[in-house]
Amino acid sequence: MTTGPPETVLEPEPEDALRALAAALDEPVGRRRDGVSDVVARWPRFLDGWARLGELARDDVEAYACFRVGYHRGLDALRQAGWRGSGYMRASHPENIGFLRALDGLRRQAGRIGEADEEARCAEFLHQLDPAWPAS
């Protein structure tokens, strides 16, 4: 019998989306952002695509927006996977990395644009979902 909070694992991303993202990330630096943007346009629910687009953003506001989209799409995916507002969602499951990366990016960008309460909320949520997520 397992005790403790439940653990949620998201559905895997489509293989063709994963391959397209890997190819976009292999592009030369000057074309990488556009390549990832094309992937997100084709698969708008691809959480790691949004997180990677946030990492490649041209400025803090664009990054914040990308991470926020990934975060909200991720909440939808979490709920569809049976999450009921509590429990773990660990990075040890590759399917969860995109959401956690988007949430961590949102945390970081919130701090950069002076939204300290959002930064703290995201940090707490990350720790609740995956206590082993690296603190920064």
Side-chain angles (χ1 to χ4, degrees):
M1 174 184 218
T2 303
T3 60
E7 186 165 355
T8 302
V9 179
L10 296 179
E11 289 295 316
E13 298 288 359
E15 284 296 321
D16 49 348
L18 293 169
R19 282 191 301 273
L21 180 61
L25 292 171
D26 281 343
E27 288 286 330
V29 173
R31 293 196 314 246
R32 197 169 295 158
R33 185 197 162 280
D34 288 343
V36 173
S37 180
D38 290 344
V39 171
V40 170
R42 185 164 176 209
W43 292 278
R45 294 186 177 148
F46 186 6
L47 303 179
D48 203 31
W50 283 107
R52 298 301 185 137
L53 191 58
E55 293 169 356
L56 296 167
R58 296 168 286 208
D59 60 47
D60 287 340
V61 172
E62 180 181 9
Y64 182 89
C66 292
F67 289 128
R68 170 115 1 234
V69 170
Y71 166 73
H72 280 287
R73 294 243 179 209
L75 287 177
D76 292 342
L78 267 172
R79 290 181 191 108
Q80 290 171 0
W83 185 76
R84 298 290 175 250
S86 66
Y88 295 119
M89 189 223 191
R90 298 178 192 273
S92 58
H93 300 282
E95 300 87 349
N96 294 344
I97 294 291
F99 176 73
L100 294 169
R101 188 178 280 137
L103 177 56
D104 195 30
L106 180 59
R107 175 201 57 78
R108 187 174 52 254
Q109 289 309 125
R112 287 184 182 155
I113 65 170
E115 200 174 11
D117 58 334
E118 178 76 349
E119 179 183 21
R121 185 187 69 74
C122 289
E124 181 179 356
F125 192 24
L126 269 168
H127 179 72
Q128 290 169 345
L129 291 173
D130 189 347
W133 188 263
S136 7

